[in-house]
């Protein structure tokens, strides 16, 4: 009876969509792994962008209900991001000056990284579904790593940063520096680095800025 009286974990040919034919165990295992991975990502709001495997989305779009990141700063700027990391895409529903959408800074909790245990499970699930290569957040032509800043020393225009890599289960620490005429980042902010560049959100314009990266030191090779 295809489609009737079957348990959700049934591995018959109809439930794994092979139309009742004899199903190899490898196909059944792959199907179940993908189904469970998709369910885990959906339950944790991590099914849209790689960054959501590493950082908990802290908001939902008031227009379409999508899981997003709400960001605000001391300048009074407020914005919803779809993803953390280059090119820092703003959520299109609310990135429209013609729409009068009130966004209260106190409506959403602070953006925080996921705990290591669930993060490992989500990385594994996203890897199973091909959403990301394990531990690597990629944009075309570059490999970027998502970091949270743990320490900053600013000397003149030089920003000396110590950050923790979030898109790696080892959560390794890295240090590097870049120069900017203004103080743009603070402890607890998120940024991305490649081997040569730093990508941040400009706190005034709320758009991406890139700077040359210098003196990158890591505990282990990325």
């Amino acid at each position: 009876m295809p489609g009737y009286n079957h348990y959700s974990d049934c591995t018959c040919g109809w439930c794994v969509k092979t139309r009742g034919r004899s199903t190899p165990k490898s196909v059944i295992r792959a199907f179940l792994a993908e189904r469970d991975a998709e369910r885990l990502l959906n339950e944790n709001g991590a099914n849209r962008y790689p960054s959501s495997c590493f950082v908990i989305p802290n908001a939902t779009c008031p227009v379409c209900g999508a899981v997003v990141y709400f960001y605000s700063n001391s300048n009074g700027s407020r914005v919803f991001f779809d993803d953390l990391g280059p090119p820092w895409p703003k959520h299109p529903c609310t990135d429209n000056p013609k729409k009068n959408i009130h966004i209260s800074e106190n409506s959403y909790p602070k953006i925080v990284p996921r705990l290591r245990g669930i993060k490992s499970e989500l990385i594994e699930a996203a890897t199973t579904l091909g959403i990301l290569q394990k531990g690597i957040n990629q944009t075309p032509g570059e490999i970027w790593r998502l970091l949270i800043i743990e320490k900053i020393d600013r000397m003149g225009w030089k920003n000396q940063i110590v950050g923790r890599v979030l898109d790696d289960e080892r959560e390794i620490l890295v240090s590097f520096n870049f120069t900017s005429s203004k103080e743009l980042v603070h402890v607890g902010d998120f940024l991305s680095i490649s081997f040569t560049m730093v990508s941040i959100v400009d706190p005034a314009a709320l758009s991406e800025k890139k700077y040359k990266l210098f003196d990158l030191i890591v505990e282990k090779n990325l």
Side-chain angles (χ1 to χ4, degrees), residues 69-96:
Y69 296 99
F70 172 72
Y71 169 83
S72 64
N73 59 37
S74 58
N75 294 339
S77 300
R78 297 173 176 83
V79 68
F80 288 114
F81 286 110
D82 273 329
D83 194 18
L84 301 181
W88 301 93
K90 295 176 184 177
H91 187 64
C93 290
T94 52
D95 187 32
N96 187 340

Side-chain angles (χ1 to χ4, degrees), residues 154-172:
R154 183 168 169 85
M155 298 162 284
W157 286 17
K158 181 179 179 181
N159 304 282
Q160 183 66 46
I161 308 291
V162 176
R164 178 161 51 95
V165 178
L166 298 177
D167 54 356
D168 188 296
E169 293 176 81
R170 299 168 296 172
E171 296 189 353
I172 57 181

Side-chain angles (χ1 to χ4, degrees), residues 59-69 80 82 91-94 101 108:
T60 55
C61 171
V63 178
C64 71
V67 174
V68 290
Y69 296 99
F80 288 114
D82 273 329
H91 187 64
C93 290
T94 52
I101 300 172
Y108 305 101

Side-chain angles (χ1 to χ4, degrees), residues 135-184:
I136 296 177
N137 184 16
Q138 288 187 308
T139 56
E142 295 181 282
I143 296 178
W144 292 92
R145 311 310 300 261
L146 182 63
L147 279 67
I148 186 169
I149 299 175
E150 297 201 342
K151 182 180 178 181
I152 298 177
D153 290 317
R154 183 168 169 85
M155 298 162 284
W157 286 17
K158 181 179 179 181
N159 304 282
Q160 183 66 46
I161 308 291
V162 176
R164 178 161 51 95
V165 178
L166 298 177
D167 54 356
D168 188 296
E169 293 176 81
R170 299 168 296 172
E171 296 189 353
I172 57 181
L173 291 176
V174 300
S175 65
F176 57 92
N177 65 74
F178 69 95
T179 59
S180 63
S181 59
K182 297 180 180 180
E183 186 177 6
L184 298 174

Side-chain angles (χ1 to χ4, degrees), residues 5-38:
N5 299 323
H6 288 255
Y7 293 103
S8 59
D9 291 334
C10 179
T11 60
C12 76
W14 291 103
C15 288
V16 291
K17 301 177 182 178
T18 56
R19 299 185 181 276
R21 297 189 297 271
S22 177
T23 308
K25 290 183 178 180
S26 59
V27 173
I28 294 175
R29 285 194 295 267
F31 169 80
L32 294 178
E34 291 179 1
R35 184 205 59 184
D36 292 343
E38 185 174 3

